[in-house]
Amino acid sequence: MSLFNEENTVEKKLIDAAQKCGWKYIEAKDVPRRPDEVLVEDWIRLALVKLNPIAVEEADQVIYKLRAAIASGFTSDELISANDRFRNLLFEENSYPFGENGDNINIRFFSDDPKENSYVVTNQWEFPRKSKEGGKRLDLVYLINGIPVVIGEAKTPLKPSVTWADGATDILNYQKSIPEMFVTNILTFASEGKELQYGGVGCPVDKWGPWYADEQRLHGTLADVEHNYVHLMTPERLLDIYRFYTVFSGTSSGSKIKIVCRYQQYLGGEAIVQRVLGTYRKGKGPRKGLIWHFQGSGKSWLMVFAAQKLRRQNELKAPTVIIVDDRIDLEDQITGDFTRAEIPNVDSITSKEELEKKIKQRKILITTIFKFGDLDANEVIDDRDNIILLMDEAHRTQEGDLGAKMRTALPNAFFFGLTGTPINRNDHNTFACFGADEDKYGYISKYTFQNSIADGATLELDFKTVPVEMHLDEKKLQAEFDALTDQVSEDDRNQLVKRTTVEAFFTSDKRINDVCKYIVNHFREYVEPTGMKAQVVVYNRECCVKYKKALDALLGTTDQTTVVMHTAGDKADDYKEYRRTRDEEKKLLDQFRDPLSPLKFVIVTSKLLTGFDAPILQCMYLDKPMKNHTLLQAICRTNRKYNENKKCGLVVDFVGVFDDVAKSLAFDEETIKTVIKNLDEVKALIPTFVQECVDFFPGVDRTIGGWEGLQAAQQCLKEEGVKTNFARHFARLSKAWEIVSPDTCLAPYQQDYTWLAQVYQSVRPVSGGNLIWTLLGAKTIEIIHNSIDSIDIGKSLEELVIDADVIDSVLTDATKVQKKIVEIERLLKLRLGEHAGDPKYKAFAEKLDELRAKMQESLITSLEFLKELLSLAKNLLEEEKKVETPDDKRAQAKAALTELFESIKTPETPIIVEQVVNDIDNEVVKIIRQFNDAFKSVTARREVKQKLRSILWLKYKIKDNDVFEKAYQYIEMYY
């Protein structure tokens, strides 16, 4: 007899753990309920009379209303709406005429004091009880004051083919067969003793998520499950989730969904709420905090949850919560979330006048930070201490006037910043604005890129780098450029070259046409068959139009592409065709989200790079240089989950941004401590820097305005040397100010700084570069375009090695030799990078380093270096050919699997080995082909294991864990 089974391991463990956090265990047979009763009415009646000034008869009237909501004849498709209605009966529509003279009073179903509630856990709950057909048996049911609020399924930890997902599937089946049991439900969970996963009513299995008690995210053992389970199932926390951290929202198709907070949203939301309450109660403490949760992990809903709870805290005395965005489209998104969730008392601020008026209202207000920009520098519009601001995308627009005016306008408010981008060493402003001294690394809640992938909250990002090189007729270019700029100074010529080269590269018609050919071919082969769509990010507005024209010509239609861009400042009406109202743009983007719409590509340059949520978007064709926050936010448009066909977000990179992405994702907490320390040092220097600048103006009255005041200041800077020295001092002050702003420590110096900045601008020389650009920029770009010889897109190492047969024609020109060196060396590094960690290719990498060192030490000539590179490339390609082909490895895999299953075949288990092996082979290959490098992907490995379990366990009843592990090892080894 087995020592371990489902009941005496996971189920028993969960019951014991529940009793540690406040639940009382009662066997199901001892729960006083009728066979078809969901509610335990005796317990509810006791609670109602205990918590409210009502009699038993009045309590029965309340129970009748609850019973009617459960037994209203709904189908399983209507379960979410029934679940929503029931919650409203408990918290919103809970007014009854039981007061004096028939006055309405609010009935409480739960007490804020845990000691006044009844918490019961039971197991093997049958519903309907003792029915002729036989009821369904639920593993674990949790009741608060007689209302079943949580249902859990426990699975065995001993069978590798059984996971929490099997329990989740059981629960979804129960929701179809006995929906009445889930009308009162807060959430459901499942565990096999390794993972604890949960979901709301109607949530499909692939959208369930883990619950972790803290940022350590422990999992894998019974002890870890208990740690997380106790945190989730503490009764007070469950009621908190029920009331404040759950919303019901509408989808674009018109259906209703239930959204229960993810654990990171709960931890982040509670960090905000508890900081506000703690500081408010004490009258002192930090009034700010920074939340870093990665792109796509649900920051919008986190703000909804936090705002909802803050508004309902009586001790905050009807606070005002302000959601602040820095984009109109983000404001629309947040407003839409609040509206669809039917959150009460929500309003938008559309002007400075509305800001000054509505700030007095005790509501949830939504606005952009730019409304604060219209305020006067020292204007205070409300000094209440129960105003809480939640700043979305907090790493942007907080420096300078906007952040300072906002803090001046609301001097006693709380300021919380939320960012989806890893904070790095350059983010002085973000920490200055929101990082409190009490927070170890400057933030109060963190949820990383790696966390979101592991939890399944977002998808992995795959990169495909496609090099694009433009070859110029340099002699022709130089001659025409010299003729154009023969009257221009050397400095202006250098500025002109610097500014035109990049723009000429990205706006070349020939280059755009070649890139678009690649995009169309790639889209048709890899993206379109999955039903997904794409975003094309280009250099500027001119490129938006050019790309649409080129893509339309290649696609043979105009309805598969659209351009979305800002059209302000279009004085020549070049982009008139793309001007849209907010409603028109919203309808267009809804078409893009619609899988049945012919619209496949949206072409952008600066719009829709942040806040644009379209899960159907899988691929971004990136042809614009970007870095830091902007780059990371842009590529994460592709990482939203959509359906089973979408395994990852894909970025096709034409500009080589991958290194910047890797750096952006590398979060260094020790660096953050250095940043915070450095900020304090910079703050201490501000008074000295200001005084040193003011000292240039002895005797000048800085309160006098107009031309008189300005002329007096300029008189002090008449000498060129003095003016230059002042400019140097002000530049130093300006940099320090930018780093620290909008810290309140700057307030005493604000007036002097503004005066100094205005004087500096008045004596600053007009830039010759801007004038030269205006006169000669367009013509210079035209010269470069006319000098293009050819454009190479994604040229392979194989092509270059073949090209070695005609290399002699290149060797006569030193410039062409150098270009070939750069091209081949770069492709060699990329190719060797694909074999990183493979010892067979280590010697090739060492040889490349050796050649480069010899070249740098002048031990070999450029020509010899080029020949050695070509030889190395040939040898590398020959080595790659020696590696078994995929078909060879596949045959080896099938042979190894055949041997494995032949070894376990017995008369008692007469499996058809060939059939088992073919099933595994076919299904595994299907999954692997969906990924660039499947076994480096967490998602792919998980899917392969799930498919292997389903074949062995469900189809062929092979339940041996050692066999499963060996089979998976063969798959990873050979496929």
Side-chain angles (χ1 to χ4, degrees):
M1 180 178 175
S2 174
L3 292 173
F4 310 113
N5 56 47
E6 184 177 302
E7 289 74 21
N8 72 13
T9 54
V10 178
E11 187 174 312
K12 181 68 165 59
K13 179 69 172 176
L14 295 178
I15 291 172
D16 290 349
Q19 294 176 80
K20 294 177 184 177
C21 62
W23 299 87
K24 178 182 178 182
Y25 174 67
I26 296 179
E27 289 188 43
K29 64 182 178 61
D30 296 327
V31 175
R33 65 184 178 102
R34 291 189 295 272
D36 59 348
E37 187 175 77
V38 172
L39 303 171
V40 182
E41 296 185 6
D42 288 352
W43 293 351
I44 298 178
R45 190 176 294 109
L46 286 172
L48 288 171
V49 172
K50 180 179 181 181
L51 301 177
N52 302 280
I54 61 175
V56 171
E57 295 77 11
E58 292 165 328
D60 285 339
Q61 292 181 45
V62 176
I63 293 171
Y64 176 82
K65 198 169 182 178
L66 299 183
R67 192 191 310 128
I70 295 172
S72 56
F74 59 88
T75 65
S76 60
D77 293 336
E78 298 167 323
L79 174 57
I80 295 175
S81 294
N83 188 249
D84 185 14
R85 284 196 303 272
F86 192 86
R87 190 181 73 152
N88 281 336
L89 289 178
L90 299 185
F91 297 114
E92 305 296 337
E93 300 168 16
N94 58 337
S95 179
Y96 291 82
F98 298 154
E100 291 185 22
N101 305 315
D103 292 339
N104 281 338
I105 61 171
N106 288 334
I107 295 299
R108 291 193 304 154
F109 293 87
F110 311 109
S111 173
D112 292 334
D113 181 354
K115 296 175 184 175
E116 294 185 328
N117 294 319
S118 159
Y119 307 117
V120 170
V121 58
T122 186
N123 64 329
Q124 300 306 310
W125 172 292
E126 188 180 1
F127 185 88
R129 198 173 181 181
K130 298 177 181 177
S131 66
K132 292 180 180 178
E133 296 80 14
K136 306 298 180 185
R137 193 174 289 272
L138 305 174
D139 283 356
L140 295 160
V141 176
Y142 302 75
L143 303 99
I144 301 181
N145 292 344
I147 301 173
V149 292
V150 174
I151 291 173
E153 280 292 305
K155 291 297 176 184
T156 175
L158 308 177
K159 298 177 181 177
S161 57
V162 176
T163 71
W164 64 267
D166 295 287
T169 302
D170 290 346
I171 285 174
L172 287 174
N173 288 331
Y174 292 143
Q175 289 177 18
K176 293 177 182 176
S177 59
I178 49 171
E180 304 95 313
M181 272 303 304
F182 295 87
V183 174
T184 63
N185 190 261
I186 297 174
L187 56 85
T188 59
F189 74 83
S191 178
E192 79 289 70
K194 300 168 188 172
E195 305 288 339
L196 176 69
Q197 297 265 339
Y198 71 104
V201 166
C203 181
V205 176
D206 64 345
K207 288 190 168 53
W208 280 41
W211 185 275
Y212 294 120
D214 46 51
E215 289 179 5
Q216 285 185 282
R217 305 174 72 256
L218 300 172
H219 62 112
T221 68
L222 273 170
D224 296 334
V225 168
E226 178 183 13
H227 176 66
N228 298 320
Y229 165 86
V230 166
H231 185 265
L232 172 64
M233 294 301 295
T234 298
E236 301 95 300
R237 182 165 291 111
L238 274 177
L239 289 173
D240 209 37
I241 291 171
Y242 196 20
R243 188 170 185 190
F244 305 121
Y245 288 88
T246 298
V247 296
F248 293 85
S249 184
T251 66
S252 57
S253 63
S255 59
K256 179 172 278 193
I257 56 172
K258 181 177 183 178
I259 300 171
V260 180
C261 64
R262 296 292 190 185
Y263 77 93
Q264 76 273 10
Q265 292 167 332
Y266 181 82
L267 295 177
E270 279 299 285
I272 292 171
V273 172
Q274 296 309 319
R275 172 148 294 176
V276 171
L277 290 174
T279 298
Y280 197 81
R281 287 165 184 160
K282 297 173 188 173
K284 61 180 181 179
R287 303 183 76 84
K288 59 181 180 176
L290 179 62
I291 293 93
W292 164 37
H293 286 194
F294 193 74
Q295 297 288 340
S297 57
K299 291 188 304 303
S300 295
W301 286 119
L302 189 160
M303 288 192 289
V304 171
F305 296 137
Q308 187 169 235
K309 183 169 182 179
L310 287 165
R311 281 280 303 132
R312 294 178 178 176
Q313 300 306 300
N314 292 333
E315 59 189 298
L316 294 179
K317 300 171 185 175
T320 300
V321 180
I322 309 174
I323 312 293
V324 184
D325 284 305
D326 70 340
R327 294 277 197 281
I328 290 175
D329 49 350
L330 287 175
E331 181 187 8
D332 289 343
Q333 178 188 330
I334 296 290
T335 302
D337 288 340
F338 275 88
T339 302
R340 286 189 295 274
E342 298 179 356
I343 306 296
N345 296 313
V346 176
D347 202 352
S348 293
I349 296 172
T350 59
S351 66
K352 172 194 172 185
E353 291 70 31
E354 281 197 359
L355 175 63
E356 293 172 321
K357 178 182 176 182
K358 290 184 178 180
I359 204 81
K360 309 293 182 185
Q361 299 175 1
R362 309 306 177 96
K363 291 184 174 183
I364 297 172
L365 302 174
I366 302 172
T367 189
T368 63
I369 192 171
F370 304 106
K371 302 300 182 297
F372 289 90
D374 297 331
L375 299 173
D376 295 333
N378 297 312
E379 185 176 353
V380 176
I381 59 175
D382 199 322
D383 61 359
R384 281 185 294 132
D385 61 356
N386 63 344
I387 297 175
I388 304 115
L389 290 94
L390 307 179
M391 313 289 300
D392 195 19
E393 301 301 351
H395 56 271
R396 302 191 302 237
T397 70
Q398 282 303 297
E399 69 280 0
D401 285 349
L402 290 173
K405 285 183 177 181
M406 184 172 64
R407 284 162 174 75
T408 301
L410 306 169
N412 297 314
F414 289 86
F415 293 88
F416 292 94
L418 294 93
T419 179
T421 309
I423 308 302
N424 57 40
R425 68 189 69 225
N426 298 318
D427 280 304
H428 304 285
N429 292 105
T430 310
F431 283 102
C433 294
F434 302 108
D437 295 337
E438 291 81 355
D439 301 326
K440 184 177 179 183
Y441 292 112
Y443 52 75
I444 57 174
S445 180
K446 179 187 72 170
Y447 188 68
T448 68
F449 171 67
Q450 291 77 14
N451 295 157
S452 69
I453 297 296
D455 292 346
T458 61
L459 299 173
E460 291 180 327
L461 290 170
D462 279 4
F463 274 79
K464 179 178 177 61
T465 301
V466 182
V468 181
E469 295 185 356
M470 190 161 71
H471 304 289
L472 302 173
D473 182 338
E474 294 191 5
K475 290 180 179 178
K476 176 184 175 185
L477 172 62
Q478 191 65 53
E480 293 192 25
F481 183 69
D482 288 344
L484 179 69
T485 59
D486 63 337
Q487 302 298 314
V488 175
S489 72
E490 191 63 29
D491 284 346
D492 285 343
R493 280 165 61 98
N494 291 337
Q495 285 295 319
L496 190 60
V497 169
K498 186 177 180 180
R499 186 164 177 182
T500 55
T501 303
V502 173
E503 185 162 337
F505 179 76
F506 286 103
T507 59
S508 158
D509 288 343
K510 179 169 176 51
R511 181 183 178 282
I512 288 172
N513 287 333
D514 287 353
V515 169
C516 285
K517 286 176 188 174
Y518 188 98
I519 288 174
V520 169
N521 290 334
H522 181 274
F523 181 81
R524 284 175 170 165
E525 184 172 357
Y526 296 103
V527 183
E528 193 170 34
T530 68
M532 304 302 166
K533 300 191 179 185
Q535 187 177 46
V536 185
V537 183
V538 301
Y539 184 72
N540 60 16
R541 296 192 297 186
E542 178 189 351
C543 287
C544 283
V545 178
K546 286 184 174 183
Y547 268 75
K548 177 164 174 55
K549 183 178 178 181
L551 288 171
D552 288 349
L554 292 163
L555 294 165
T557 178
T558 61
D559 62 356
Q560 291 190 28
T561 68
T562 191
V563 171
V564 177
M565 64 180 175
H566 296 287
T567 56
D570 179 22
K571 295 177 181 177
D573 278 347
D574 291 332
Y575 311 114
K576 184 177 180 181
E577 180 182 350
Y578 304 106
R579 288 180 198 156
R580 300 185 183 95
T581 65
R582 288 167 72 172
D583 284 343
E584 288 170 341
E585 186 174 296
K586 182 177 180 299
K587 288 177 183 177
L588 179 71
L589 297 179
D590 283 342
Q591 288 178 34
F592 181 75
R593 295 182 182 98
D594 181 358
L596 300 179
S597 166
L599 182 58
K600 304 289 179 63
F601 297 88
V602 58
I603 305 163
V604 304
T605 182
S606 59
K607 266 198 164 189
L608 307 188
L609 298 184
T610 62
F612 176 45
D613 193 15
I616 200 171
L617 168 59
Q618 182 188 29
C619 186
M620 173 177 287
Y621 295 101
L622 183 58
D623 198 28
K624 177 180 181 177
M626 289 189 289
K627 58 184 179 179
N628 299 335
H629 300 306
T630 308
L631 170 61
L632 201 59
Q633 287 178 302
I635 62 176
C636 288
R637 299 309 99 208
T638 66
N639 77 343
R640 306 306 196 264
K641 296 178 77 173
Y642 183 58
N643 61 22
E644 66 278 1
N645 290 330
K646 188 175 180 182
K647 307 298 182 184
C648 62
L650 177 60
V651 179
V652 177
D653 170 21
F654 296 105
V655 292
V657 300
F658 181 74
D659 286 344
D660 286 319
V661 174
K663 289 173 186 173
S664 296
L665 292 174
F667 182 85
D668 179 3
E669 291 182 330
E670 291 305 313
T671 298
I672 297 310
K673 287 196 283 191
T674 304
V675 168
I676 295 169
K677 179 176 177 288
N678 291 345
L679 276 173
D680 292 334
E681 294 172 0
V682 175
K683 286 180 188 179
L685 294 171
I686 293 290
T688 302
F689 287 175
V690 171
Q691 189 57 50
E692 288 178 356
C693 287
V694 168
D695 288 345
F696 279 89
F697 307 95
V700 174
D701 186 347
R702 297 193 299 281
T703 63
I704 297 175
W707 67 266
E708 296 95 341
L710 185 59
Q711 183 172 304
Q714 289 178 347
Q715 284 294 109
C716 297
L717 305 174
K718 281 191 301 183
E719 294 181 17
E720 199 61 37
V722 175
K723 185 192 298 183
T724 301
N725 197 18
F726 167 68
R728 189 180 300 116
H729 277 77
F730 182 77
R732 183 180 64 174
L733 168 61
S734 177
K735 182 64 176 174
W737 193 277
E738 179 186 326
I739 289 171
V740 175
S741 177
D743 196 285
T744 53
C745 74
L746 299 176
Y749 312 101
Q750 181 68 57
Q751 191 170 343
D752 279 343
Y753 179 76
T754 302
W755 186 87
L756 289 165
Q758 290 173 341
V759 172
Y760 171 75
Q761 290 298 332
S762 76
V763 298
R764 189 179 181 187
V766 176
S767 170
N770 287 338
L771 182 60
I772 293 298
W773 169 257
T774 303
L775 295 174
L776 303 179
K779 185 62 179 175
T780 304
I781 290 174
E782 183 184 338
I783 289 173
I784 296 173
H785 286 172
N786 292 336
S787 302
I788 297 172
D789 267 352
S790 63
I791 292 173
D792 293 333
I793 295 189
K795 196 165 188 178
S796 68
L797 193 63
E798 288 85 349
E799 290 175 285
L800 285 168
V801 170
I802 292 169
D803 196 31
D805 295 334
V806 292
I807 202 70
D808 290 338
S809 63
V810 175
L811 302 184
T812 56
D813 188 331
T815 305
K816 289 185 178 179
V817 171
Q818 196 57 44
K819 282 183 179 177
K820 282 291 178 188
I821 286 173
V822 171
E823 192 173 7
I824 294 171
E825 190 176 7
R826 179 177 52 76
L827 287 172
L828 267 170
K829 287 179 178 178
L830 284 171
R831 198 65 163 251
L832 288 169
E834 294 174 6
H835 299 295
D838 190 332
K840 292 196 296 292
Y841 294 93
K842 185 179 179 183
F844 290 97
E846 291 172 348
K847 180 67 174 176
L848 182 58
D849 291 340
E850 179 189 328
L851 288 173
R852 169 49 64 187
K854 284 184 177 181
M855 176 68 180
Q856 289 172 342
E857 295 171 16
S858 300
L859 298 177
I860 56 175
T861 66
S862 298
L863 186 54
E864 289 169 331
F865 185 38
L866 176 59
K867 288 180 176 178
E868 291 283 1
L869 286 177
L870 285 167
S871 175
L872 184 63
K874 280 184 177 179
N875 293 337
L876 174 60
L877 293 172
E878 286 171 8
E879 181 64 34
E880 287 181 335
K881 290 175 184 175
K882 294 178 186 176
V883 178
E884 299 110 328
T885 66
D887 286 342
D888 292 335
K889 298 195 80 174
R890 190 170 178 180
Q892 289 181 40
K894 293 179 75 171
L897 290 168
T898 299
E899 184 178 345
L900 171 64
F901 292 114
E902 286 287 357
S903 70
I904 65 166
K905 183 177 179 181
T906 67
E908 290 76 30
T909 57
I911 56 173
I912 303 172
V913 172
E914 183 180 2
Q915 192 172 327
V916 176
V917 170
N918 284 338
D919 279 356
I920 294 172
D921 177 67
N922 291 334
E923 295 300 328
V924 164
V925 168
K926 279 182 194 175
I927 295 171
I928 290 172
R929 283 177 176 167
Q930 297 170 6
F931 296 87
N932 286 344
D933 194 343
F935 293 103
K936 288 184 180 178
S937 162
V938 175
T939 306
R941 291 200 301 270
R942 183 170 62 240
E943 290 195 16
V944 169
K945 286 183 176 180
Q946 287 175 348
K947 181 56 69 176
L948 181 61
R949 282 195 187 98
S950 70
I951 292 170
L952 297 183
W953 168 251
L954 298 177
K955 188 169 183 179
Y956 294 106
K957 311 301 181 187
I958 301 172
K959 305 172 184 179
D960 189 314
N961 188 48
D962 289 339
V963 172
F964 169 82
E965 293 296 341
K966 275 188 181 177
Y968 180 75
Q969 285 174 15
Y970 288 145
I971 289 170
E972 194 161 309
M973 184 187 304
Y974 292 110
Y975 288 96

